[in-house]
Amino acid sequence: MTRRKNEEDNNEEDSQTEMARIPDSATIEPNLDGQAEFQRVPDTVSVEEVPEAETVVVEALIAPVELVVASDNPLTDENVNQETKLNSPIRASHMTVIYRGSADSFRYGPYKFRPGQPATLPSVIAEELLTYPFEKFEVKE
Amino acid sequence: MATDIAKIHIGQGDVWLGGTAPAAGGDMTDPTSSTINTMTSLFAAPTSGGTAVGFTNGPATLTYKPTYYNVETEQAFAEVLVIPTAEECSVDFVMLEASYTNLNRAMGQATSEVNAGAPTNNTNFVGGKATVATFLLALNSRKRTAVGYYLLTVYQVYSMDGVGLNFERRKEMQNKVTMRALADVSRPVGDQLFQLAEFTANPA
């Protein structure tokens, strides 16, 4: 007739997983003056965008920046005019990579990432990572 | 007596684990102030996100059980007052896809790693993890008439029984799990365990 239930709560550990929550990240955009502009990037993940599979996002190019020029036209601070700057191919030496998958961590060779924590890679490695046969790689400009 | 065969429901439940719970209501005394989870176009996924469990076998069963205290008096034969004192909720189903994400959720106390380098692998590490990670569970069941659907969203679950994985020559691996719900006390009173919505139309 009368029922009581004293349920033992064995689940004190009420820790919430860090599910698909990407914090604000700072993006550094190189410019030709060798200065780095900091730009705040707001949260880019909405519930509709939560990936189902592993995703690696190359967030942006960051300093330092290398200017690649022909060897017979050595580039120095003195002889670079505005036109040269505009026409020179630019290659960032590093890229910021963010892993957005569901696993607790993602490893690529010696590089290890956790969801939402940006990691900086040499650009060669980052580009190599993009060739990995996951479907969900994104490059973000 | 009005009867409606269309309201008799029969159909499987498709389960997603993980994702972000629909926003809690601003009025902590009004459960209806919370946002309602929906399915995206063509039933691709719930808007709460998460990873699809994939194939299941047997029913996916929602169990919700409140416990009541009945006040009896000398003056009346039947109890004159009843108050709720506890409630419990769980969802049971059998996962057939032995993906590392499914195994991770089922084992509960596992830490997963995707390894893109050689050799490529997805690994779960288990043993000695002191904290319990909870996650969202969404279950979609389309109506038999193909118009409308039910969507169950349990805000915080964990695998309470772990796994019993059969590696067997003549039987597929049946990963039976019981996902037990924890109350999310950051949500309004009355909306701390789950929401079960019936939609009368398919998602746009």
Side-chain angles (χ1 to χ4, degrees):
Chain A
M1 295 288 288
T2 300
R3 283 192 300 161
R4 283 177 185 272
K5 182 162 198 272
N6 293 321
E7 182 180 325
E8 286 188 14
D9 188 359
N10 294 323
N11 313 305
E12 304 93 349
E13 302 290 350
D14 189 19
S15 62
Q16 179 74 35
T17 353
E18 294 179 7
M19 301 299 296
R21 177 69 182 164
I22 309 297
D24 285 356
S25 56
T27 302
I28 306 171
E29 292 189 343
N31 64 20
L32 296 174
D33 296 323
Q35 303 290 324
E37 287 181 11
F38 285 81
Q39 182 179 0
R40 292 298 291 178
V41 177
D43 277 355
T44 55
V45 172
S46 65
V47 287
E48 291 82 2
E49 294 170 336
V50 173
E52 291 182 6
E54 282 62 51
T55 306
V56 170
V57 178
V58 176
E59 188 78 37
L61 307 181
I62 66 169
V65 173
E66 297 172 357
L67 295 179
V68 179
V69 295
S71 58
D72 58 352
N73 181 22
L75 185 67
T76 65
D77 288 341
E78 290 77 23
N79 67 6
V80 174
N81 57 32
Q82 187 63 27
E83 185 178 353
T84 306
K85 284 181 183 177
L86 291 175
N87 293 332
S88 297
I90 298 173
R91 185 174 70 85
S93 62
H94 292 77
M95 289 182 174
T96 298
V97 173
I98 298 177
Y99 171 62
R100 285 183 182 163
S102 55
D104 295 301
S105 66
F106 173 86
R107 190 190 301 175
Y108 188 77
Y111 304 98
K112 191 163 185 172
F113 315 97
R114 296 187 187 284
Q117 297 180 5
T120 300
L121 291 183
S123 62
V124 174
I125 301 297
E127 288 165 7
E128 180 183 311
L129 192 61
L130 291 175
T131 66
Y132 193 77
F134 279 142
E135 295 179 356
K136 296 254 178 176
F137 283 114
E138 299 173 18
V139 178
K140 192 163 187 178
E141 306 262 3
Chain B
M1 181 177 67
T3 58
D4 188 352
I5 293 176
K7 290 181 179 174
I8 298 176
H9 181 66
I10 180 168
Q12 84 279 5
D14 299 323
V15 180
W16 282 260
L17 299 177
T20 306
D27 183 351
M28 291 299 283
T29 64
D30 181 7
T32 63
S33 62
S34 294
T35 303
I36 296 170
N37 199 10
T38 62
M39 293 298 292
T40 58
S41 181
L42 302 177
F43 293 97
T47 52
S48 55
T51 302
V53 159
F55 284 119
T56 59
N57 191 9
T61 305
L62 166 69
T63 303
Y64 170 70
K65 184 181 178 186
T67 301
Y68 298 107
Y69 177 70
N70 298 319
V71 178
E72 298 176 351
T73 66
E74 298 296 330
Q75 286 70 33
F77 285 0
E79 58 268 20
V80 297
L81 179 66
V82 60
I83 58 169
T85 58
E87 59 187 355
E88 52 190 299
C89 169
S90 63
V91 179
D92 300 2
F93 52 96
V94 177
M95 297 191 278
L96 290 191
E97 296 189 9
S99 64
Y100 84 95
T101 50
N102 281 354
L103 296 176
N104 178 274
R105 298 299 196 191
M107 290 187 282
Q109 297 302 88
T111 303
S112 60
E113 181 180 75
V114 172
N115 195 335
T120 303
N121 63 85
N122 304 317
T123 305
N124 282 298
F125 301 89
V126 180
K129 190 174 183 178
T131 58
V132 178
T134 62
F135 46 89
L136 184 117
L137 180 149
L139 185 153
N140 170 50
S141 186
R142 295 187 62 178
K143 289 190 173 181
R144 180 178 50 82
T145 57
V147 178
Y149 60 102
Y150 295 90
L151 183 57
L152 167 70
T153 307
V154 189
Y155 304 125
Q156 292 188 131
V157 301
Y158 65 98
S159 174
M160 66 177 291
D161 289 335
V163 294
L165 301 177
N166 57 307
F167 295 86
E168 194 171 346
R169 178 176 172 82
R170 294 181 178 83
K171 182 85 172 170
E172 69 274 22
M173 180 185 285
Q174 303 223 0
N175 187 3
K176 184 179 187 311
V177 292
T178 300
M179 296 297 182
R180 187 179 170 98
L182 288 181
D184 184 349
V185 295
S186 68
R187 303 182 69 87
V189 171
D191 177 44
Q192 296 183 342
L193 281 179
F194 64 86
Q195 59 176 239
L196 175 57
E198 178 196 5
F199 295 87
T200 55
N202 292 338

